[in-house]
Amino acid sequence: MILGNFAAWNIQNILIRVVVAAILGGIIGLDRGMKHRGAGTKTITVVCLGATLVMLTEQYIQINFAGMANMTRMAAQVISGVGFIGVGTIIVSKHRVRGLTTAATLWASACIGLAVGIGFIEGGILITVMMLLSLHVLPLVERFATRHSRYCNVFIDVEKSRHLHTVIQNLKEADISIDSMEMSGPEDGEDGISVHLVLYTKKATERTEIYDILMKSEKVTSVDFL
């Protein structure tokens, strides 16, 4: 091993595993906490430590009660059980689903705790580093790709469904085509509807321009970009 043999059962290795789990969980939690997410430093650290304890307990049973332990059973329960905690961080708003990254971070933190708890500290550290890189670098890549993409996801609210043709006509005049369209609301569409549009622009077009085009119609009450 690169860092040493932490799988051996002794008090020194147990302390190292617990401390490393707390540090790694704290680092990931601090990153989420600074962004004011649903699960912050305390939550993720506790999840990571709890998962570590599960694997320590598994190894303890294996050593002291030979033949009575299944080294994968308790870990499997942690992996599935943390999913229920993650569900509580997911919020479905009008047009968006928030909290998926926080839920995934909780689940991954539990997996890190399991790895550290059984002595695979190198794996826990490596995944922590990769998680932090992903949480910081991928949003930048995503924003860059979105700015340079010809596709645009947008939600609009229209007073009545019959006014939608005006919006479509305004888009056509601006040389913007509709790749797909989904409507939700009353069946008669007379009390207002929400429309999800995937637009394709043949030339580079800023969101502010698309917003102005959509708001040309007085019957469009709101515009929300994804």
Side-chain angles (χ1 to χ4, degrees):
M1 289 192 177
I2 298 174
L3 300 179
N5 181 17
F6 296 104
W9 184 259
N10 55 58
I11 189 62
Q12 178 182 346
N13 280 346
I14 292 173
L15 287 174
I16 290 174
R17 294 185 212 178
V18 172
V19 171
V20 170
I23 292 173
L24 298 183
I27 290 172
I28 297 171
L30 185 62
D31 173 79
R32 305 309 291 164
M34 288 190 299
K35 296 177 182 178
H36 304 287
R37 303 307 184 194
T41 308
K42 291 182 291 184
T43 303
I44 293 180
T45 301
V46 169
V47 168
C48 196
L49 283 171
T52 299
L53 177 60
V54 166
M55 293 311 289
L56 287 171
T57 304
E58 288 267 27
Q59 191 173 7
Y60 177 84
I61 295 173
Q62 183 72 27
I63 292 171
N64 293 279
F65 304 94
M68 295 180 62
N70 182 338
M71 291 295 286
T72 60
R73 185 173 56 196
M74 291 178 69
Q77 295 301 314
V78 171
I79 292 174
S80 60
V82 171
F84 288 99
I85 302 176
V87 168
T89 68
I90 299 175
I91 301 173
V92 181
S93 59
K94 185 177 181 181
H95 299 315
R96 298 174 185 267
V97 179
R98 301 180 184 275
L100 286 175
T101 301
T102 299
T105 302
L106 275 170
W107 183 84
S109 298
C111 294
I112 290 171
L114 293 174
V116 173
I118 203 61
F120 186 31
I121 291 180
E122 294 93 334
I125 293 175
L126 178 61
I127 295 302
T128 299
V129 172
M130 294 306 297
M131 280 179 61
L132 291 174
L133 286 174
S134 299
L135 291 170
H136 285 274
V137 175
L138 290 182
L140 300 177
V141 175
E142 190 177 50
R143 283 196 290 270
F144 176 83
T146 300
R147 283 199 303 269
H148 292 80
S149 174
R150 295 297 175 88
Y151 288 93
C152 177
N153 274 276
V154 61
F155 283 92
I156 64 172
D157 290 325
V158 185
E159 287 185 7
K160 299 182 186 298
S161 59
R162 65 174 179 269
H163 298 306
L164 192 57
H165 76 278
T166 305
V167 177
I168 296 173
Q169 185 61 37
N170 291 338
L171 290 170
K172 286 182 177 179
E173 291 175 359
D175 203 21
I176 298 175
S177 58
I178 299 175
D179 186 73
S180 66
M181 179 171 62
E182 296 178 9
M183 293 184 290
S184 60
E187 292 185 3
D188 57 9
E190 293 302 312
D191 294 324
I193 59 170
S194 293
V195 185
H196 176 207
L197 298 169
V198 178
L199 306 177
Y200 177 77
T201 59
K202 297 179 181 178
K203 59 181 180 179
T205 307
E206 294 290 335
R207 287 190 171 188
T208 52
E209 297 177 56
I210 296 175
Y211 177 85
D212 292 336
I213 294 168
L214 292 171
M215 292 300 291
K216 275 185 179 180
S217 173
E218 296 179 355
K219 303 303 180 180
V220 176
T221 57
S222 69
V223 176
D224 186 19
F225 291 93
L226 285 180

